[in-house]
Amino acid sequence: MLQRKNLPGEKERMQQDRNEYYNKVKLKAAEIREKYNLSGPRILPKQIISILKKEGVNKVELWKDFKRVRGAYIINRDGSTTVAINSNLPRDPKAFTLAHELKHHLMDRNLGRIICSLSNVAEEIEIGAEIFATELIYPQQLFLDHMLLMGINKDNFEPRHIVELKKGNDTTLSYQSLAKRTTFLKIAPKGSLDNIKWKKLEEQIYGIPQYKKFRSRGKHIA
Amino acid sequence: MDINSLIAEKIKELRESSFNGAGISQTELANKLNKAPNTISRWETGEYKPKIEDLYELSKFFKVSILNFFPPEADGIEGKSEIEEEKNEIELLFRSNKSLDDRDFAEIKNFVEFQIAKKQLLDASKKKSSGRKRKDAAGSQ
C-alpha cells in the first residue's frame, strides 16, 4: 500500500495551524467570561446552562441514560438546538461538559450534530472544546496568578499544592485538569501526576468529609 | 385511531406478547415499574394517559424503542416518515465518524428517539386542546 509522505514543512505548518486554532478557542473563552462577568475559577453548571440559553441554545436536557456519552450538541431538523448532558456526572465534570458543548455551539455549529463520547476525545474539535472548557472555567493566567500567590513554582511544587489550591478556591475544574495544566506549564515534570489519587490525597490532608462518615456509620447501624 | 388509543393498545399488546409469548400480568408489570396495581389496567383501557417517562420505562422494560408506541407519520421528504429520516441522519452521523462506537450510537439513538416521542405526545395533546378551545369558543357565542 502506498503511503503519502509529508511535504517539507507540512508537519510544522499543520502544528502551526492547530496552535492558531487553539489560540482562537482560548480567545473565545475569554470573550465569554468577559461578556458574562465570570471572574473566579468556580463556574457552576447552572451558570453555564444560563449562558448556553442566552447564546441561543433552545434546550438543555439532562439525560440519565448516558453511560459513555458525556454530552451531545444537536441541531434538530427544525433548526433548533439541544444540548444533552449526562446527568450522572458530578458537579465538576458536569460544568466542564456543559462548557465543552458551549464551544460546539459557538464555534462548530456548521458541523451539525456532535457527540462527545469517551471514544472521540482525541479529535481536533474535541481537543479545542476541552481547551475552551478549561479556559472558561479557570483561565490559565488566573491559575498562574493563584500559584504565584501561594508561592508555588517548579522548584518547590508538590502534588498537595493542587489539592490546597482546589480546596482554597473551590474551582469547578477537576483535579485531572488542574494536574494536566500543571504539567503542561512545566511546573511539575511530565507524567509525575498521572497516577495520583486526588480524592485520597485530599482526605489525607483535610480528613474524611462528614457525608462519608455518616455513610459509613449508616452501614454499621444497618 | 387517536394516539392515546394507539398507546393503550400497544401497552396491552407488548404486555401480552412479552417473554416469548408467555406475557406478564398487569399486577406484575405494575410492580416492576413501581406503579399502583391498577395503573396498568387503566393505561390499557385509556382511563389514564401514561406520561412520556412512563412510556420510556415501559420501552426499557420490554426492550423496544419508545417509538413503538407512536404511529409512523408519512409527512417527511419523499414520503418517508419524520422518524425514519431522523434515524437515517443519526446513522449517517455515526458512519461518517469512525471514532464513535456502537455503544455511543445506542445511547444517542435512545435519547433522540425519546425526544421525538416527547414531541409527538406534545403535538397530540396540543391538537386535542386546540380542538376543545374552538368548541368552547363556538359554545360561548
Side-chain angles (χ1 to χ4, degrees):
Chain A
M1 197 169 87
L2 278 175
Q3 273 195 329
R4 182 180 166 271
K5 280 184 184 167
N6 281 340
L7 295 169
E10 194 179 354
K11 215 174 168 185
E12 289 76 15
R13 208 163 34 246
M14 274 165 68
Q15 187 56 47
Q16 206 179 338
D17 286 351
R18 217 171 289 156
N19 289 343
E20 259 176 49
Y21 172 63
Y22 295 150
N23 280 334
K24 220 167 97 182
V25 164
K26 284 182 185 175
L27 284 173
K28 194 72 184 170
E31 188 189 310
I32 293 291
R33 274 185 72 90
E34 201 182 329
K35 186 174 174 185
Y36 292 98
N37 295 318
L38 306 176
S39 52
R42 184 178 181 269
I43 313 298
L44 298 168
K46 64 175 180 186
Q47 287 175 282
I48 307 172
I49 290 174
S50 155
I51 296 172
L52 278 162
K53 289 189 173 161
K54 283 176 187 157
E55 289 297 322
V57 171
N58 300 85
K59 265 194 279 178
V60 180
E61 300 270 353
L62 296 170
W63 185 245
K64 69 179 165 63
D65 280 347
F66 282 153
K67 301 284 178 287
R68 292 169 47 85
V69 172
R70 296 178 302 162
Y73 177 70
I74 298 169
I75 298 181
N76 303 304
R77 296 176 54 78
D78 60 2
S80 64
T81 48
T82 303
V83 164
I85 296 291
N86 184 333
S87 69
N88 306 306
L89 295 172
R91 182 195 73 166
D92 295 359
K94 195 177 278 168
F96 193 88
T97 307
L98 284 160
H100 177 117
E101 301 307 333
L102 176 61
K103 183 263 182 182
H104 290 322
H105 177 67
L106 297 171
M107 304 182 81
D108 311 316
R109 230 177 299 185
N110 55 331
L111 300 174
R113 287 195 165 131
I114 300 162
I115 315 302
C116 309
S117 171
L118 295 170
S119 52
N120 64 349
V121 277
E123 285 166 30
E124 199 173 298
I125 68 152
E126 290 299 304
I127 295 172
E130 302 284 289
I131 292 172
F132 176 89
T134 312
E135 281 297 303
L136 185 83
I137 293 171
Y138 200 172
Q140 187 170 296
Q141 193 51 54
L142 189 62
F143 172 80
L144 282 169
D145 291 348
H146 289 163
M147 289 293 239
L148 195 68
L149 265 173
M150 289 170 74
I152 303 162
N153 56 53
K154 68 179 174 57
D155 299 320
N156 65 6
F157 174 80
E158 284 175 41
R160 69 177 174 84
H161 290 138
I162 290 187
V163 177
E164 287 165 6
L165 178 81
K166 187 165 167 64
K167 271 296 220 186
N169 60 24
D170 194 25
T171 177
T172 40
L173 197 62
S174 68
Y175 277 124
Q176 280 70 25
S177 299
L178 290 167
K180 212 168 165 182
R181 175 177 271 168
T182 309
T183 48
F184 174 75
L185 293 169
K186 296 190 170 78
I187 296 168
K190 203 176 171 187
S192 65
L193 305 176
D194 289 354
N195 299 317
I196 292 179
K197 304 269 182 278
W198 294 103
K199 280 283 168 199
K200 210 170 170 188
L201 183 59
E202 186 186 293
E203 284 175 12
Q204 278 168 13
I205 301 170
Y206 294 98
I208 298 168
Q210 285 299 323
Y211 76 91
K212 272 197 179 177
K213 282 185 192 168
F214 279 122
R215 206 187 286 164
S216 62
R217 201 187 299 168
K219 268 183 202 163
H220 290 305
I221 292 166
Chain B
M1 189 188 288
D2 76 11
I3 206 162
N4 292 313
S5 311
L6 190 91
I7 288 171
E9 208 169 78
K10 197 74 201 178
I11 294 172
K12 191 173 185 207
E13 186 190 312
L14 279 169
R15 184 179 61 75
E16 289 176 345
S17 64
S18 59
F19 301 101
N20 293 325
I24 179 172
S25 74
Q26 291 177 334
T27 318
E28 266 181 293
L29 182 59
N31 282 338
K32 298 276 182 198
L33 300 178
N34 286 325
K35 296 283 170 193
N38 53 4
T39 303
I40 310 296
S41 143
R42 287 174 170 169
W43 282 348
E44 289 181 5
T45 56
E47 193 185 339
Y48 282 179
K49 291 183 190 79
K51 289 184 202 149
I52 187 72
E53 290 80 10
D54 298 324
L55 293 178
Y56 183 65
E57 291 307 320
L58 282 165
S59 74
K60 280 206 290 189
F61 180 77
F62 291 119
K63 296 189 175 63
V64 295
S65 162
I66 190 170
L67 297 178
N68 267 283
F69 295 105
F70 298 88
E73 282 180 292
D75 58 357
I77 306 160
E78 293 169 2
K80 276 186 201 161
S81 75
E82 196 181 346
I83 295 166
E84 278 305 312
E85 283 177 28
E86 190 79 42
K87 276 183 185 167
N88 290 346
E89 276 178 30
I90 310 169
E91 271 171 32
L92 267 176
L93 165 73
F94 274 81
R95 249 180 272 147
S96 65
N97 194 333
K98 296 265 187 295
S99 65
L100 294 166
D101 65 22
D102 291 348
R103 285 171 295 177
D104 299 339
F105 177 73
E107 287 185 10
I108 285 294
K109 190 167 161 274
N110 197 25
F111 172 76
V112 173
E113 286 181 352
F114 178 83
Q115 296 302 317
I116 298 171
K118 197 165 133 184
K119 190 172 168 279
Q120 293 227 354
L121 206 58
L122 192 74
D123 287 350
S125 72
K126 267 185 200 164
K127 266 183 209 165
K128 244 190 166 172
S129 62
S130 65
R132 201 158 43 237
K133 261 182 214 162
R134 274 200 301 275
K135 202 177 168 187
D136 291 346
S140 65
Q141 277 173 354

